[in-house]
Amino acid sequence: MAGGAMVNPAGGKDYPGKLTPFVFFTCVIAATGGLIFGYDIGISGGVTSMDPFLKKFFPEVYRKKQMAQGGNQYCKFDNQLLQTFTSSLYLAALVSSLFAATITRAFGRKWSMFGGGLTFLIGAALNGAAENVIMLIVGRILLGIGIGFANQSVPLYLSEMAPARLRGMLNIGFQLMITIGILVAELINYGTAKIKGGYGWRVSLALAAVPASIITLGSFFLPDTPNSLVERGHSEEARRMLRRIRGTDDIGEEYADLVAASEEARTVTHPWRSILQRRHRAQLTMAIAIPFFQQLTGINVINFYAPVLFETLGFRSDASLMSAIITGLVLVFATFVSVFTVDRLGRRKLFLQGGTQMIICQVVVGTLLAAKFGTSGVAEISKGYAAAVAVFICAFVAGFAWSWGPLGWLVPSEIFPLEIRPLGQSINTSVQMLFTFVIAQAFLTMLCHLKFGLFYFFAGWVVIMTVFVALFLPETKNVPIEEMVLVWQSHWFWGKFIADDEAHRVQMAAANNGAKAADA
């Protein structure tokens, strides 16, 4: 595999144990943290295409939308206040995810999830009862704080609970829940848009309380991970939990590795200083580059503004909501492809295949729009032509859903050593939210000015990120997360940043722990 390195048969371990029902159900409950993120992504675009919502809060956008009938289709939703409504959540999530790292490390993963769900619940109530734009945006900020905490803690929880050989499948449950949340939101938008009386948008926003309640109540009853328990000094409880989640008493070697990782973690008093050290350069680069690239795939153009986008492409309001539902279905079913292949094919193959598919689809969509709308944005679009655009958008969504979507959360959550793992995931989440904010704030304006060229813009970024993966991302499937340093040490580029004695120390610790486990 050019540019990559696999360390599993040689350097990794396959600890005893199996996928127990207990682990499966705890991971399913934890993964529901993705529902709140997905529901919000899906609900925002639908609500902002509803006329009663626009008339109440964004009358200027409503007037521009009416005037654009038969006119410039690219610019009819261009409004900074409307974009602020959507994007304010992601700025709040960016800030809160950094604070979440400290709470996650000090109190455990489950309490971060609980706090995130509870805050999201309050934000949902405020949005559903909103009477002015200020209430809307304050509610969005509370939603963002909840998402920041959940997105920081859930992927960590899943990666630490899962057996190494099934870590990809279980971690992708988070992305699967995000896609289910998006689909459910789009179905709700389709139904509430038909409510007479003009209050359907309130129902859509208030129903965010349902997924918030699920993760809030669910996380309250979840156990914490053995990694977190050991890190916080609960050694015996960690040993009991490890036996329970692996379904075997033969946990000596894995437990010894957790203890060794925890002892090293306790020597780190300044995680920010540690994560900036040369030996962590590879992990830090990935925690920044992967979420940065993920947002520049262009997927949030579809997720945030799917109904708005399809309406701009010439679909009627009902048809635009239905088209958004179709893309939501594609997201869900394509994510299952990743669930069942990521631990067999590996991360790199899915990244590379999905990237290639997205490039092709974006170039085709941009070309179809150029041929019909040109730069004027004025054209009549037939049902057949609109359907062709929708097909390629769905193919793009599918490529994302089995590559950059789930792997953007999985890979950063599994590559950091224990002492800086919460901070690493916070950086990943913060970068995600920063560029999600930028795209949400800028997309409608970019569509107005770049027109069909916007799809070429995102296609160019996908070319860059696909080359980046081919050259710089090693394969991490099946490698225990406490031994991930061996993957980076054997990589053609990142190996130069890791001293030989660092990798040797990890290998010797693993051998010593194995000997202790055998003697026990």
Side-chain angles (χ1 to χ4, degrees):
M1 206 178 280
M6 292 183 63
V7 179
N8 186 39
K13 299 176 183 175
D14 192 9
Y15 296 120
K18 58 186 178 181
L19 177 60
T20 62
F22 179 71
V23 165
F24 179 78
F25 286 116
T26 55
C27 285
V28 168
I29 292 169
T32 59
L35 287 175
I36 60 176
F37 190 28
Y39 187 88
D40 183 81
I41 289 172
I43 217 70
S44 301
V47 165
T48 53
S49 71
M50 294 181 187
D51 287 346
F53 178 82
L54 293 176
K55 279 193 273 190
K56 182 173 180 64
F57 297 106
F58 305 98
E60 182 184 342
V61 178
Y62 177 73
R63 287 193 298 272
K64 189 184 293 188
K65 177 182 173 184
Q66 299 307 307
M67 292 170 60
Q69 299 298 329
N72 188 333
Q73 297 298 302
Y74 291 123
C75 297
K76 63 184 180 181
F77 288 97
D78 180 20
N79 181 272
Q80 280 300 313
L81 187 59
L82 177 61
Q83 291 173 153
T84 300
F85 161 73
T86 301
S87 62
S88 57
L89 178 148
Y90 302 98
L91 195 58
L94 185 162
V95 176
S96 68
S97 64
L98 294 175
F99 290 102
T102 301
I103 293 173
T104 300
R105 188 179 186 189
F107 299 103
R109 286 50 167 152
K110 64 173 286 182
W111 293 114
S112 280
M113 287 186 267
F114 177 80
L118 187 60
T119 308
F120 193 94
L121 187 61
I122 297 169
L126 190 59
N127 267 357
E131 290 296 334
N132 52 57
V133 173
I134 298 297
M135 287 183 70
L136 272 182
I137 293 178
V138 170
R140 294 284 292 171
I141 290 171
L142 290 174
L143 296 179
I145 293 171
I147 285 174
F149 273 81
N151 287 9
Q152 191 274 340
S153 54
V154 171
L156 282 186
Y157 186 93
L158 297 173
S159 286
E160 291 179 349
M161 290 292 279
R165 62 185 177 277
L166 296 173
R167 188 173 61 243
M169 181 187 77
L170 292 176
N171 190 287
I172 287 174
F174 179 65
Q175 175 67 16
L176 180 62
M177 290 296 179
I178 292 176
T179 63
I180 291 172
I182 293 171
L183 175 60
V184 169
E186 287 164 347
L187 288 168
I188 288 171
N189 278 337
Y190 187 74
T192 58
K194 299 179 181 298
I195 294 177
K196 294 180 180 179
Y199 63 88
W201 61 269
R202 288 194 185 277
V203 178
S204 290
L205 293 178
L207 282 176
V210 175
S213 298
I214 293 172
I215 184 59
T216 302
L217 293 175
S219 61
F220 185 79
F221 294 103
L222 283 176
D224 222 330
T225 68
N227 312 63
S228 179
L229 291 168
V230 169
E231 185 180 27
R232 291 182 289 124
H234 305 297
S235 300
E236 285 308 309
E237 188 178 349
R239 191 189 294 271
R240 288 194 299 271
M241 183 55 60
L242 194 58
R243 286 196 191 98
R244 188 174 184 188
I245 67 175
R246 297 295 178 252
T248 178
D249 290 331
D250 187 11
I251 49 95
E253 187 174 11
E254 184 173 4
Y255 179 76
D257 285 346
L258 292 181
V259 170
S262 177
E263 288 173 353
E264 182 168 347
R266 289 194 185 98
T267 67
V268 177
T269 56
H270 301 287
W272 278 105
R273 189 181 301 167
S274 178
I275 205 170
L276 293 174
Q277 291 176 356
R278 179 181 173 86
R279 64 195 176 108
H280 295 139
R281 192 69 47 79
Q283 297 98 318
L284 180 60
T285 299
M286 292 301 161
I288 295 172
I290 289 176
F292 167 75
F293 284 141
Q294 188 194 55
Q295 300 314 305
L296 286 169
T297 58
I299 188 62
N300 283 334
V301 172
I302 307 298
N303 286 342
F304 290 156
Y305 299 109
V308 171
L309 180 63
F310 281 117
E311 193 168 339
T312 298
L313 296 178
F315 289 71
R316 290 180 295 104
S317 182
D318 274 3
S320 71
L321 288 168
M322 180 55 72
S323 299
I325 290 172
I326 292 170
T327 61
L329 283 167
V330 172
L331 265 175
V332 172
F333 286 110
T335 302
F336 276 108
V337 174
S338 191
V339 168
F340 292 114
T341 60
V342 68
D343 290 315
R344 288 187 316 213
L345 297 178
R347 285 62 160 153
R348 280 171 51 85
K349 286 184 179 178
L350 290 178
F351 266 130
L352 297 176
Q353 189 283 328
T356 302
Q357 183 170 323
M358 287 190 289
I359 293 165
I360 294 169
C361 291
Q362 284 169 318
V363 170
V364 171
V365 169
T367 303
L368 288 173
L369 294 184
K372 180 58 67 172
F373 289 103
T375 56
S376 69
V378 179
E380 290 294 326
I381 186 168
S382 68
K383 290 183 178 179
Y385 205 90
V389 174
V391 165
F392 281 99
I393 286 178
C394 287
F396 164 80
V397 168
F400 175 86
W402 59 57
S403 63
W404 280 91
L407 300 180
W409 294 106
L410 167 60
V411 173
S413 75
E414 67 182 0
I415 60 177
F416 282 94
L418 180 63
E419 65 267 22
I420 54 172
R421 194 173 300 149
L423 178 57
Q425 184 61 21
S426 286
I427 292 172
N428 174 52
T429 302
S430 296
V431 176
Q432 287 258 9
M433 295 302 109
L434 173 61
F435 286 97
T436 302
F437 167 78
V438 170
I439 295 298
Q441 187 67 23
F443 164 66
L444 293 176
T445 302
M446 290 173 69
L447 178 62
C448 182
H449 289 86
L450 295 180
K451 303 174 173 60
F452 62 83
L454 182 63
F455 292 91
Y456 296 147
F457 170 82
F458 286 122
W461 277 107
V462 181
V463 171
I464 293 170
M465 64 185 71
T466 302
V467 172
F468 175 84
V469 166
L471 292 176
F472 298 112
L473 182 68
E475 183 55 72
T476 57
K477 71 171 183 176
N478 300 338
V479 180
I481 54 179
E482 308 305 344
E483 293 190 2
M484 199 63 71
V485 65
L486 302 177
V487 172
W488 303 106
Q489 196 273 338
S490 61
H491 187 268
W492 72 273
F493 180 78
W494 299 117
K496 69 182 73 172
F497 293 93
I498 301 173
D500 290 340
D501 60 348
E502 172 73 11
H504 180 69
R505 181 190 57 75
V506 172
Q507 290 173 317
M508 289 301 296
N512 291 337
N513 290 335
K516 290 177 185 177
D519 294 338

